[in-house]
Amino acid sequence: MAKKGKKYVDSAKQIDKSNLYDTVEAMELIVKTAPAKFDETVELHVKLGVDSRHADQQVRGAIVLPHGTGKTARVLVFAKGDKAEEARAAGADFVGDMDMVQKIQSENWFDFDVVVATPDMMGVVGRLGKLLGPKGLMPSPKAGTVTPNVTQAIQEIKAGKVEYRLDKTNIIHCPIGKVSFGAEKLSENFAALMSAIIKAKPAAAKGQYIKSCVCASTMGPGVKINAAKLA
């Protein structure tokens, strides 16, 4: 097992691992115990009482966080004609169709954070499924990234839209901001994201939906949050 650094160990001493903290108190601890000199990202890790192997128990969606993520996402848009021009005008970082497919395939190019596609381009984008899928970059209607309204999609992404989705272990990992936001803004972003996840509860889900909820900064220790107060 990898040995933890002195700063991490010192930070971890300030957190009671057996305690379930209220949201604001948890965020205050995360801000206080973030050990790095850079502005660390704060991530939410929430385990759900569903089975991601079943199609009717998938949990996936997107939300614009009240205070953004602290990072401006690089957006690649698959569109042609007027929609391509619209995407450029709206601030897309990269716009194209087959040329972008070839660039990704031949150069293993991934200098983007989010992919948006107009519905007529999904036949083209589908060729990249094996490359984009494992990285969580495949556009989808549920996340609002397959849409004819490219301007709205780009603006929301630039404003701090995040996509949440289950992994194979039934956990959602999602950023909720930067340590520099402070406890209040992080708490508001956390509340907005958790509300969206709770609303997305599948009808097929039985029993306890929110199993556990932990937040942590990039280099800091995890802080457990009282999930019973969220659902």
Side-chain angles (χ1 to χ4, degrees):
M1 188 173 173
K3 188 179 178 183
K4 301 292 186 185
K6 184 179 182 301
K7 286 183 179 179
Y8 179 96
V9 172
D10 289 343
S11 294
K13 286 177 183 175
Q14 300 177 59
I15 296 165
D16 182 354
K17 289 188 176 180
S18 64
N19 190 37
L20 296 176
Y21 291 92
D22 288 340
T23 304
V24 175
E25 189 180 3
M27 297 306 157
E28 287 172 346
L29 269 172
I30 289 165
V31 171
K32 182 182 172 185
T33 59
K37 290 180 180 178
F38 63 89
D39 192 7
E40 298 178 48
T41 295
V42 179
E43 279 214 353
L44 163 70
H45 309 276
V46 56
K47 186 171 181 64
L48 300 181
V50 296
D51 189 342
S52 61
R53 292 174 298 178
H54 299 290
D56 63 353
Q57 292 188 45
Q58 289 295 325
V59 179
R60 182 178 184 179
I63 180 176
V64 178
L65 296 176
H67 303 288
T69 61
K71 176 186 176 184
T72 302
R74 298 165 297 174
V75 183
L76 165 61
V77 177
F78 283 94
K80 56 188 176 184
D82 291 344
K83 287 296 177 184
E85 291 304 315
E86 182 186 332
R88 291 186 184 96
D93 298 273
F94 311 100
V95 183
D97 46 81
M98 274 308 299
D99 57 328
M100 289 296 172
V101 172
Q102 289 162 359
K103 185 175 177 68
I104 291 168
Q105 288 176 330
S106 62
E107 300 176 25
N108 199 32
W109 174 74
F110 291 100
D111 292 340
F112 48 88
D113 305 298
V114 184
V115 180
V116 173
T118 54
D120 61 315
M121 293 301 296
M122 283 310 291
V124 171
V125 180
R127 304 179 192 192
L128 297 169
K130 289 183 179 178
L131 294 172
L132 297 180
K135 294 180 180 290
L137 291 168
M138 196 66 183
S140 79
K142 206 163 189 178
T145 46
V146 177
T147 175
N149 193 345
V150 292
T151 297
Q152 182 182 347
I154 293 163
Q155 288 174 345
E156 287 181 347
I157 292 163
K158 294 288 186 181
K161 186 176 186 177
V162 293
E163 183 181 354
Y164 56 87
R165 59 189 298 182
L166 278 180
D167 67 9
K168 290 179 181 177
T169 60
N170 305 314
I171 297 174
I172 289 173
H173 308 273
C174 203
I176 59 169
K178 298 282 188 179
V179 166
S180 61
F181 282 20
E184 187 177 342
K185 288 183 178 180
L186 286 170
S187 296
E188 289 172 6
N189 276 358
F190 170 85
L193 180 56
M194 284 304 302
S195 176
I197 291 171
I198 290 166
K199 284 178 184 173
K201 179 180 179 180
K206 305 298 180 190
Q208 186 181 354
Y209 181 52
I210 307 291
K211 291 282 190 181
S212 66
C213 183
V214 176
C215 281
S217 64
T218 307
M219 307 294 288
V223 179
K224 295 176 184 176
I225 296 174
N226 191 347
K229 290 191 175 182
L230 304 172

